[in-house]
Amino acid sequence: MLEAIELVGSTQQELQAFVESIGETAYRGRQLFNALQHRRLRSFEEMTELPKDLRNRLNSIALASTLTVESRYISEDGTRRYLMKTHDKLPVETVFIPEERRDTICFSSQSGCPLQCTFCLTAQLGLLRSLTPGEIVEQILIALNDAYGVGVKPPRGTNLVGMGAGEPFLNLDSLMKALRIMADPQGLHIVPNRVTVSTAGVVPRIREFAEISDRPHLAISLAAPTDELRDELMPINKKWPLNELLDACKEFEQTLRPGERFTFEYVMLAGVNDSENHARQLANLLNRHALRAKVNLIPHNPAEPLPYKSSSEEVVENFKATLESKGISTYVRRPRGRDIFAACGQLAAMPAESVSSAVEVNAVPR
Ligand code: SF4
């Protein structure tokens, strides 16, 4: 347990209340929020607009940051993967993906993951623990500082995806708090419309999520069109089988607001779930539930010791054509950062020695 208070996981209102509780004015709380979230400063020493005495007092009772960066790996395609450590030495992984018109940061909601999806390397860690709101926010601060410099405004928009390690819906309260902190216009100002979270299908939480007014976009990881296959690939299906999951999805779809995105993710595993018959079964399943959501096909990212291979481009295109012929809008997601184990399903605290020698490996400061 941390004894000092972790301030980076506090809202602006909470910081004002906190500084008032130690005899300061609310104005100092607003300054503190600005320093942490807008200028992305990671220590009180750097906050020179605060009186020295206050900085000293903060140092003795609170923390401005808790994550440390152990390693950074840079892919040939510019993707950066960060392996960080929590104060209690647990791994946290974050991926920064630069694109022409925007950057995407894929963050983790848990250290490890309790779900046992067989195509995912993270599953092999098991659940180490859920991350705090501060630990979620810090991943984004660290990635932006590293890409652009401390406090420098990103030149393009920043999108966030909660598709790193962990099941976000098993840490929903912390996730929503982190997203609210990051949406604050006085801080990072990353609004819910720029955020997508992905769930393996925690059905009661899909219903809970539907009630949240400032929710981000939602993606559901399907991976199989039948219970038999999904039980095998995503054991969470034994608890909430496809019919139950898709009923909840239908209810959720009815709450969608204009411009809100709702998608299904389908990882393509060669010879396992990628045949034309699977595509037909998937289309029938979605059509039977009258779901209009789009499907994203994600070529699997092979990673030892997982037993799967990636479907060929031709198979992925045929799968897409079959879905489209049955009225399902389908996209193929281009894998990024495969060479540094930064792609989907590859996050498992992979140490430097396991990463290809063609890749630049740097230790970076906190
Ligand atoms: S795919 Fe997602 S939910 Fe499944 S084990 Fe991996 S991190 Fe967990």
Side-chain angles (χ1 to χ4, degrees), residues 190-263:
I190 301 173
V191 295
N193 197 27
R194 305 205 75 133
V195 185
T196 304
V197 296
S198 169
T199 177
V202 184
V203 164
R205 290 288 160 85
I206 294 172
R207 297 203 164 96
E208 221 177 283
F209 191 72
E211 305 283 314
I212 299 176
S213 60
D214 58 345
R215 68 188 180 213
H217 302 295
L218 179 62
I220 308 273
S221 177
L222 271 186
T226 62
D227 280 324
E228 197 189 357
L229 183 55
R230 199 165 188 266
D231 280 354
E232 198 184 297
L233 298 176
M234 299 181 75
I236 189 176
N237 195 67
K238 293 179 190 153
K239 188 154 187 188
W240 292 293
L242 277 169
N243 268 340
E244 247 182 78
L245 172 61
L246 294 185
D247 281 349
C249 289
K250 184 66 205 169
E251 284 170 37
F252 178 77
E253 197 175 71
Q254 282 157 348
T255 72
L256 287 178
R257 295 177 287 250
E260 190 175 355
R261 280 194 306 276
F262 177 42
T263 47

Side-chain angles (χ1 to χ4, degrees), residues 106-261:
C106 177
F107 66 87
S108 297
S109 51
Q110 297 182 307
S111 179
C113 183
L115 304 186
Q116 294 292 311
C117 305
T118 55
F119 50 83
C120 173
L121 215 49
T122 311
Q124 310 211 342
L125 294 173
L127 176 65
L128 302 170
R129 76 167 162 77
S130 285
L131 300 180
T132 62
E135 287 164 340
I136 295 174
V137 173
E138 271 191 76
Q139 295 174 61
I140 284 73
L141 299 174
I142 287 171
L144 288 177
N145 279 352
D146 181 55
Y148 297 115
V150 176
V152 175
K153 190 174 187 286
R156 299 176 281 271
T158 306
N159 286 357
L160 304 182
V161 292
M163 300 184 186
E167 163 54 57
F169 277 10
L170 294 180
N171 192 19
L172 187 55
D173 290 347
S174 293
L175 172 80
M176 285 310 304
K177 184 169 183 197
L179 295 183
R180 285 172 185 138
I181 292 167
M182 293 191 279
D184 192 318
Q186 314 297 320
L188 286 165
H189 200 190
I190 301 173
V191 295
N193 197 27
R194 305 205 75 133
V195 185
T196 304
V197 296
S198 169
T199 177
V202 184
V203 164
R205 290 288 160 85
I206 294 172
R207 297 203 164 96
E208 221 177 283
F209 191 72
E211 305 283 314
I212 299 176
S213 60
D214 58 345
R215 68 188 180 213
H217 302 295
L218 179 62
I220 308 273
S221 177
L222 271 186
T226 62
D227 280 324
E228 197 189 357
L229 183 55
R230 199 165 188 266
D231 280 354
E232 198 184 297
L233 298 176
M234 299 181 75
I236 189 176
N237 195 67
K238 293 179 190 153
K239 188 154 187 188
W240 292 293
L242 277 169
N243 268 340
E244 247 182 78
L245 172 61
L246 294 185
D247 281 349
C249 289
K250 184 66 205 169
E251 284 170 37
F252 178 77
E253 197 175 71
Q254 282 157 348
T255 72
L256 287 178
R257 295 177 287 250
E260 190 175 355
R261 280 194 306 276

